[in-house]
Amino acid sequence: MDTYSLAASLAADYPLLNIFWTMLELFLWVLWFFLLFKIITDIFRSHDLSGWGKAGWLVLVILLPLIGILAYLIARGQSMGQRDIEQAQKAEAAFKAYVQEAASTAPDSGKGAGGRSHVDDLATLADLKEKGAISEEEYQKAKEKLLV
């Protein structure tokens, strides 16, 4: 028997509906594991749970996964989303603080008059332009002076 007829006979034994069913099962397994790891990380990230509470939820989620995950989502699903938002806000604030600190403490940060950096001066100029205190032309001239 050649390889083509072997492949054709295997394909005939596995109909299209079975292929779709297998793909659905695979997708559901990936989804299940994603949800399991998301809940486990949320258990450890939660500050309002005691150590025993975390241990209890972890045991329930690992030993009785279907009941544990559904119970966790019902009991703590709302606060789970809030903790995700808080985590994202903290990460964004840390990133902004890092960028601000890196911009102001660069080796050649261009400290101008009064110990202010060019970044501070540009921010002040942008505020003045937004408030209408200076025109677009004045803003461009002052910006060129700062950047030269």
mmCIF file of all heavy atoms in Angstrom, residues 78-119:
data_model
loop_
_atom_site.group_PDB
_atom_site.id
_atom_site.type_symbol
_atom_site.label_atom_id
_atom_site.label_comp_id
_atom_site.label_asym_id
_atom_site.label_seq_id
_atom_site.Cartn_x
_atom_site.Cartn_y
_atom_site.Cartn_z
ATOM 1 N N GLN A 78 -16.178 39.668 40.210
ATOM 2 C CA GLN A 78 -16.233 41.124 40.090
ATOM 3 C C GLN A 78 -14.940 41.765 40.589
ATOM 4 O O GLN A 78 -14.365 42.613 39.929
ATOM 5 C CB GLN A 78 -17.416 41.653 40.904
ATOM 6 C CG GLN A 78 -17.588 43.141 40.833
ATOM 7 C CD GLN A 78 -18.408 43.564 39.640
ATOM 8 O OE1 GLN A 78 -19.120 42.754 39.066
ATOM 9 N NE2 GLN A 78 -18.302 44.820 39.267
ATOM 10 N N SER A 79 -14.484 41.345 41.761
ATOM 11 C CA SER A 79 -13.260 41.940 42.310
ATOM 12 C C SER A 79 -12.027 41.502 41.529
ATOM 13 O O SER A 79 -11.000 42.178 41.557
ATOM 14 C CB SER A 79 -13.113 41.579 43.788
ATOM 15 O OG SER A 79 -13.042 40.183 43.963
ATOM 16 N N MET A 80 -12.123 40.399 40.816
ATOM 17 C CA MET A 80 -11.012 39.935 39.988
ATOM 18 C C MET A 80 -10.732 40.952 38.879
ATOM 19 O O MET A 80 -9.573 41.296 38.610
ATOM 20 C CB MET A 80 -11.379 38.573 39.392
ATOM 21 C CG MET A 80 -10.303 37.848 38.701
ATOM 22 S SD MET A 80 -10.914 36.184 38.322
ATOM 23 C CE MET A 80 -9.829 35.744 37.013
ATOM 24 N N GLY A 81 -11.768 41.459 38.260
ATOM 25 C CA GLY A 81 -11.610 42.484 37.227
ATOM 26 C C GLY A 81 -11.063 43.774 37.789
ATOM 27 O O GLY A 81 -10.234 44.441 37.160
ATOM 28 N N GLN A 82 -11.505 44.146 38.989
ATOM 29 C CA GLN A 82 -11.004 45.366 39.621
ATOM 30 C C GLN A 82 -9.518 45.247 39.942
ATOM 31 O O GLN A 82 -8.761 46.204 39.783
ATOM 32 C CB GLN A 82 -11.792 45.666 40.885
ATOM 33 C CG GLN A 82 -13.226 46.075 40.604
ATOM 34 C CD GLN A 82 -14.089 46.115 41.849
ATOM 35 O OE1 GLN A 82 -13.684 45.660 42.916
ATOM 36 N NE2 GLN A 82 -15.291 46.651 41.706
ATOM 37 N N ARG A 83 -9.085 44.060 40.379
ATOM 38 C CA ARG A 83 -7.661 43.867 40.661
ATOM 39 C C ARG A 83 -6.843 43.937 39.379
ATOM 40 O O ARG A 83 -5.713 44.436 39.384
ATOM 41 C CB ARG A 83 -7.430 42.541 41.388
ATOM 42 C CG ARG A 83 -7.727 42.612 42.864
ATOM 43 C CD ARG A 83 -7.339 41.347 43.573
ATOM 44 N NE ARG A 83 -8.125 40.190 43.167
ATOM 45 C CZ ARG A 83 -9.343 39.908 43.628
ATOM 46 N NH1 ARG A 83 -9.909 40.695 44.504
ATOM 47 N NH2 ARG A 83 -9.979 38.835 43.222
ATOM 48 N N ASP A 84 -7.384 43.450 38.276
ATOM 49 C CA ASP A 84 -6.686 43.570 36.989
ATOM 50 C C ASP A 84 -6.511 45.035 36.596
ATOM 51 O O ASP A 84 -5.447 45.439 36.125
ATOM 52 C CB ASP A 84 -7.452 42.832 35.887
ATOM 53 C CG ASP A 84 -7.235 41.341 35.911
ATOM 54 O OD1 ASP A 84 -6.267 40.890 36.553
ATOM 55 O OD2 ASP A 84 -8.038 40.612 35.298
ATOM 56 N N ILE A 85 -7.557 45.830 36.789
ATOM 57 C CA ILE A 85 -7.485 47.253 36.447
ATOM 58 C C ILE A 85 -6.474 47.962 37.344
ATOM 59 O O ILE A 85 -5.661 48.763 36.864
ATOM 60 C CB ILE A 85 -8.884 47.897 36.562
ATOM 61 C CG1 ILE A 85 -9.790 47.370 35.446
ATOM 62 C CG2 ILE A 85 -8.796 49.416 36.500
ATOM 63 C CD1 ILE A 85 -11.242 47.761 35.588
ATOM 64 N N GLU A 86 -6.493 47.672 38.641
ATOM 65 C CA GLU A 86 -5.535 48.282 39.562
ATOM 66 C C GLU A 86 -4.098 47.917 39.188
ATOM 67 O O GLU A 86 -3.209 48.766 39.220
ATOM 68 C CB GLU A 86 -5.812 47.836 40.996
ATOM 69 C CG GLU A 86 -7.062 48.439 41.599
ATOM 70 C CD GLU A 86 -7.414 47.832 42.948
ATOM 71 O OE1 GLU A 86 -6.609 47.032 43.486
ATOM 72 O OE2 GLU A 86 -8.499 48.149 43.453
ATOM 73 N N GLN A 87 -3.882 46.665 38.816
ATOM 74 C CA GLN A 87 -2.543 46.219 38.425
ATOM 75 C C GLN A 87 -2.075 46.954 37.173
ATOM 76 O O GLN A 87 -0.920 47.384 37.094
ATOM 77 C CB GLN A 87 -2.551 44.703 38.186
ATOM 78 C CG GLN A 87 -1.208 44.123 37.815
ATOM 79 C CD GLN A 87 -0.282 44.059 39.007
ATOM 80 O OE1 GLN A 87 -0.712 44.079 40.145
ATOM 81 N NE2 GLN A 87 0.995 43.984 38.736
ATOM 82 N N ALA A 88 -2.963 47.131 36.199
ATOM 83 C CA ALA A 88 -2.606 47.838 34.972
ATOM 84 C C ALA A 88 -2.309 49.311 35.261
ATOM 85 O O ALA A 88 -1.367 49.883 34.703
ATOM 86 C CB ALA A 88 -3.726 47.718 33.948
ATOM 87 N N GLN A 89 -3.090 49.924 36.153
ATOM 88 C CA GLN A 89 -2.858 51.326 36.501
ATOM 89 C C GLN A 89 -1.527 51.495 37.226
ATOM 90 O O GLN A 89 -0.798 52.459 36.990
ATOM 91 C CB GLN A 89 -3.998 51.862 37.354
ATOM 92 C CG GLN A 89 -5.284 52.072 36.575
ATOM 93 C CD GLN A 89 -6.469 52.406 37.457
ATOM 94 O OE1 GLN A 89 -6.448 52.206 38.662
ATOM 95 N NE2 GLN A 89 -7.526 52.914 36.837
ATOM 96 N N LYS A 90 -1.199 50.565 38.115
ATOM 97 C CA LYS A 90 0.083 50.637 38.820
ATOM 98 C C LYS A 90 1.249 50.486 37.846
ATOM 99 O O LYS A 90 2.253 51.186 37.950
ATOM 100 C CB LYS A 90 0.165 49.557 39.902
ATOM 101 C CG LYS A 90 -0.661 49.845 41.119
ATOM 102 C CD LYS A 90 -0.529 48.723 42.131
ATOM 103 C CE LYS A 90 -1.428 48.942 43.324
ATOM 104 N NZ LYS A 90 -1.374 47.819 44.271
ATOM 105 N N ALA A 91 1.110 49.567 36.903
ATOM 106 C CA ALA A 91 2.178 49.366 35.915
ATOM 107 C C ALA A 91 2.343 50.603 35.042
ATOM 108 O O ALA A 91 3.467 51.014 34.729
ATOM 109 C CB ALA A 91 1.874 48.148 35.060
ATOM 110 N N GLU A 92 1.236 51.221 34.645
ATOM 111 C CA GLU A 92 1.309 52.422 33.822
ATOM 112 C C GLU A 92 1.934 53.582 34.602
ATOM 113 O O GLU A 92 2.764 54.325 34.065
ATOM 114 C CB GLU A 92 -0.084 52.816 33.338
ATOM 115 C CG GLU A 92 -0.087 54.012 32.418
ATOM 116 C CD GLU A 92 -1.482 54.368 31.927
ATOM 117 O OE1 GLU A 92 -2.442 53.649 32.237
ATOM 118 O OE2 GLU A 92 -1.595 55.384 31.235
ATOM 119 N N ALA A 93 1.557 53.735 35.872
ATOM 120 C CA ALA A 93 2.129 54.803 36.698
ATOM 121 C C ALA A 93 3.627 54.587 36.900
ATOM 122 O O ALA A 93 4.413 55.545 36.856
ATOM 123 C CB ALA A 93 1.414 54.869 38.040
ATOM 124 N N ALA A 94 4.029 53.346 37.106
ATOM 125 C CA ALA A 94 5.454 53.055 37.271
ATOM 126 C C ALA A 94 6.219 53.355 35.993
ATOM 127 O O ALA A 94 7.331 53.899 36.031
ATOM 128 C CB ALA A 94 5.647 51.597 37.685
ATOM 129 N N PHE A 95 5.639 53.030 34.856
ATOM 130 C CA PHE A 95 6.285 53.309 33.575
ATOM 131 C C PHE A 95 6.427 54.810 33.357
ATOM 132 O O PHE A 95 7.486 55.297 32.956
ATOM 133 C CB PHE A 95 5.499 52.674 32.426
ATOM 134 C CG PHE A 95 6.051 53.005 31.065
ATOM 135 C CD1 PHE A 95 7.233 52.440 30.628
ATOM 136 C CD2 PHE A 95 5.397 53.897 30.232
ATOM 137 C CE1 PHE A 95 7.753 52.747 29.379
ATOM 138 C CE2 PHE A 95 5.907 54.212 28.991
ATOM 139 C CZ PHE A 95 7.085 53.638 28.568
ATOM 140 N N LYS A 96 5.350 55.559 33.639
ATOM 141 C CA LYS A 96 5.414 57.014 33.468
ATOM 142 C C LYS A 96 6.452 57.622 34.405
ATOM 143 O O LYS A 96 7.191 58.523 34.021
ATOM 144 C CB LYS A 96 4.043 57.633 33.724
ATOM 145 C CG LYS A 96 3.070 57.434 32.590
ATOM 146 C CD LYS A 96 1.751 58.115 32.869
ATOM 147 C CE LYS A 96 0.796 57.936 31.711
ATOM 148 N NZ LYS A 96 -0.501 58.570 31.968
ATOM 149 N N ALA A 97 6.502 57.144 35.643
ATOM 150 C CA ALA A 97 7.493 57.664 36.588
ATOM 151 C C ALA A 97 8.906 57.352 36.113
ATOM 152 O O ALA A 97 9.806 58.190 36.221
ATOM 153 C CB ALA A 97 7.251 57.071 37.973
ATOM 154 N N TYR A 98 9.104 56.174 35.565
ATOM 155 C CA TYR A 98 10.417 55.801 35.051
ATOM 156 C C TYR A 98 10.818 56.689 33.876
ATOM 157 O O TYR A 98 11.951 57.168 33.806
ATOM 158 C CB TYR A 98 10.434 54.333 34.624
ATOM 159 C CG TYR A 98 11.685 53.957 33.883
ATOM 160 C CD1 TYR A 98 12.892 53.813 34.552
ATOM 161 C CD2 TYR A 98 11.669 53.777 32.503
ATOM 162 C CE1 TYR A 98 14.046 53.493 33.876
ATOM 163 C CE2 TYR A 98 12.828 53.462 31.815
ATOM 164 C CZ TYR A 98 14.008 53.317 32.510
ATOM 165 O OH TYR A 98 15.151 53.008 31.831
ATOM 166 N N VAL A 99 9.893 56.920 32.958
ATOM 167 C CA VAL A 99 10.197 57.757 31.795
ATOM 168 C C VAL A 99 10.493 59.181 32.242
ATOM 169 O O VAL A 99 11.447 59.806 31.770
ATOM 170 C CB VAL A 99 9.032 57.724 30.782
ATOM 171 C CG1 VAL A 99 9.192 58.794 29.718
ATOM 172 C CG2 VAL A 99 8.938 56.356 30.139
ATOM 173 N N GLN A 100 9.691 59.695 33.167
ATOM 174 C CA GLN A 100 9.915 61.050 33.669
ATOM 175 C C GLN A 100 11.275 61.161 34.351
ATOM 176 O O GLN A 100 12.014 62.116 34.140
ATOM 177 C CB GLN A 100 8.793 61.432 34.644
ATOM 178 C CG GLN A 100 8.810 62.859 35.063
ATOM 179 C CD GLN A 100 8.286 63.784 33.978
ATOM 180 O OE1 GLN A 100 8.125 63.413 32.835
ATOM 181 N NE2 GLN A 100 8.048 65.012 34.350
ATOM 182 N N GLU A 101 11.603 60.167 35.156
ATOM 183 C CA GLU A 101 12.886 60.163 35.872
ATOM 184 C C GLU A 101 14.047 60.020 34.891
ATOM 185 O O GLU A 101 15.066 60.689 35.022
ATOM 186 C CB GLU A 101 12.885 59.032 36.901
ATOM 187 C CG GLU A 101 14.079 59.002 37.815
ATOM 188 C CD GLU A 101 15.153 58.055 37.328
ATOM 189 O OE1 GLU A 101 14.819 57.063 36.672
ATOM 190 O OE2 GLU A 101 16.327 58.325 37.598
ATOM 191 N N ALA A 102 13.882 59.172 33.882
ATOM 192 C CA ALA A 102 14.948 58.985 32.901
ATOM 193 C C ALA A 102 15.141 60.238 32.059
ATOM 194 O O ALA A 102 16.265 60.588 31.707
ATOM 195 C CB ALA A 102 14.623 57.793 32.007
ATOM 196 N N ALA A 103 14.073 60.941 31.752
ATOM 197 C CA ALA A 103 14.182 62.157 30.943
ATOM 198 C C ALA A 103 14.822 63.289 31.733
ATOM 199 O O ALA A 103 15.537 64.116 31.173
ATOM 200 C CB ALA A 103 12.809 62.588 30.453
ATOM 201 N N SER A 104 14.587 63.336 33.037
ATOM 202 C CA SER A 104 15.117 64.454 33.813
ATOM 203 C C SER A 104 16.520 64.201 34.352
ATOM 204 O O SER A 104 17.206 65.137 34.713
ATOM 205 C CB SER A 104 14.181 64.785 34.976
ATOM 206 O OG SER A 104 14.150 63.717 35.896
ATOM 207 N N THR A 105 16.960 62.946 34.408
ATOM 208 C CA THR A 105 18.291 62.660 34.946
ATOM 209 C C THR A 105 19.233 62.101 33.904
ATOM 210 O O THR A 105 20.189 61.431 34.236
ATOM 211 C CB THR A 105 18.199 61.663 36.113
ATOM 212 O OG1 THR A 105 17.647 60.442 35.626
ATOM 213 C CG2 THR A 105 17.380 62.212 37.245
ATOM 214 N N ALA A 106 18.981 62.413 32.635
ATOM 215 C CA ALA A 106 19.884 61.959 31.585
ATOM 216 C C ALA A 106 21.222 62.664 31.760
ATOM 217 O O ALA A 106 21.285 63.767 32.292
ATOM 218 C CB ALA A 106 19.288 62.270 30.214
ATOM 219 N N PRO A 107 22.335 62.047 31.322
ATOM 220 C CA PRO A 107 23.641 62.677 31.496
ATOM 221 C C PRO A 107 23.703 64.082 30.915
ATOM 222 O O PRO A 107 24.269 64.977 31.496
ATOM 223 C CB PRO A 107 24.601 61.739 30.757
ATOM 224 C CG PRO A 107 23.896 60.452 30.648
ATOM 225 C CD PRO A 107 22.436 60.747 30.694
ATOM 226 N N ASP A 108 23.103 64.280 29.741
ATOM 227 C CA ASP A 108 23.071 65.603 29.131
ATOM 228 C C ASP A 108 21.627 66.061 29.114
ATOM 229 O O ASP A 108 21.002 66.170 28.070
ATOM 230 C CB ASP A 108 23.649 65.550 27.710
ATOM 231 C CG ASP A 108 23.728 66.932 27.080
ATOM 232 O OD1 ASP A 108 23.729 67.920 27.835
ATOM 233 O OD2 ASP A 108 23.785 66.990 25.839
ATOM 234 N N SER A 109 21.074 66.278 30.304
ATOM 235 C CA SER A 109 19.654 66.593 30.382
ATOM 236 C C SER A 109 19.351 68.024 30.014
ATOM 237 O O SER A 109 18.205 68.426 29.984
ATOM 238 C CB SER A 109 19.124 66.290 31.786
ATOM 239 O OG SER A 109 19.788 67.090 32.734
ATOM 240 N N GLY A 110 20.350 68.827 29.767
ATOM 241 C CA GLY A 110 20.128 70.188 29.300
ATOM 242 C C GLY A 110 19.467 71.053 30.345
ATOM 243 O O GLY A 110 18.443 71.659 30.085
ATOM 244 N N LYS A 111 20.034 71.103 31.512
ATOM 245 C CA LYS A 111 19.463 71.952 32.559
ATOM 246 C C LYS A 111 19.578 73.404 32.123
ATOM 247 O O LYS A 111 20.649 73.881 31.797
ATOM 248 C CB LYS A 111 20.175 71.741 33.892
ATOM 249 C CG LYS A 111 20.008 70.358 34.487
ATOM 250 C CD LYS A 111 18.631 70.189 35.048
ATOM 251 C CE LYS A 111 18.507 68.830 35.718
ATOM 252 N NZ LYS A 111 17.186 68.527 36.125
ATOM 253 N N GLY A 112 18.457 74.060 32.118
ATOM 254 C CA GLY A 112 18.436 75.451 31.701
ATOM 255 C C GLY A 112 18.529 76.366 32.897
ATOM 256 O O GLY A 112 19.054 76.022 33.949
ATOM 257 N N ALA A 113 17.989 77.558 32.722
ATOM 258 C CA ALA A 113 18.033 78.550 33.789
ATOM 259 C C ALA A 113 17.201 78.079 34.971
ATOM 260 O O ALA A 113 16.115 77.551 34.806
ATOM 261 C CB ALA A 113 17.510 79.885 33.265
ATOM 262 N N GLY A 114 17.734 78.272 36.159
ATOM 263 C CA GLY A 114 16.993 77.913 37.363
ATOM 264 C C GLY A 114 16.980 76.423 37.640
ATOM 265 O O GLY A 114 16.194 75.966 38.445
ATOM 266 N N GLY A 115 17.813 75.642 36.962
ATOM 267 C CA GLY A 115 17.872 74.210 37.218
ATOM 268 C C GLY A 115 16.735 73.419 36.577
ATOM 269 O O GLY A 115 16.525 72.270 36.892
ATOM 270 N N ARG A 116 15.980 74.047 35.690
ATOM 271 C CA ARG A 116 14.872 73.344 35.020
ATOM 272 C C ARG A 116 15.398 72.650 33.765
ATOM 273 O O ARG A 116 16.274 73.160 33.087
ATOM 274 C CB ARG A 116 13.778 74.330 34.637
ATOM 275 C CG ARG A 116 13.039 74.905 35.824
ATOM 276 C CD ARG A 116 12.094 76.012 35.403
ATOM 277 N NE ARG A 116 11.306 75.710 34.233
ATOM 278 C CZ ARG A 116 10.010 75.383 34.266
ATOM 279 N NH1 ARG A 116 9.381 75.313 35.404
ATOM 280 N NH2 ARG A 116 9.363 75.131 33.145
ATOM 281 N N SER A 117 14.835 71.538 33.446
ATOM 282 C CA SER A 117 15.265 70.829 32.246
ATOM 283 C C SER A 117 14.477 71.330 31.045
ATOM 284 O O SER A 117 13.458 72.011 31.180
ATOM 285 C CB SER A 117 15.048 69.324 32.424
ATOM 286 O OG SER A 117 13.673 69.029 32.414
ATOM 287 N N HIS A 118 14.932 70.963 29.864
ATOM 288 C CA HIS A 118 14.236 71.335 28.634
ATOM 289 C C HIS A 118 12.854 70.696 28.595
ATOM 290 O O HIS A 118 11.925 71.276 28.032
ATOM 291 C CB HIS A 118 15.037 70.925 27.398
ATOM 292 C CG HIS A 118 16.277 71.735 27.194
ATOM 293 N ND1 HIS A 118 16.286 73.109 27.187
ATOM 294 C CD2 HIS A 118 17.561 71.365 26.984
ATOM 295 C CE1 HIS A 118 17.506 73.557 26.971
ATOM 296 N NE2 HIS A 118 18.319 72.513 26.853
ATOM 297 N N VAL A 119 12.727 69.523 29.179
ATOM 298 C CA VAL A 119 11.427 68.837 29.202
ATOM 299 C C VAL A 119 10.419 69.682 29.976
ATOM 300 O O VAL A 119 9.278 69.871 29.542
ATOM 301 C CB VAL A 119 11.569 67.432 29.828
ATOM 302 C CG1 VAL A 119 10.219 66.774 29.956
ATOM 303 C CG2 VAL A 119 12.512 66.572 29.001
#
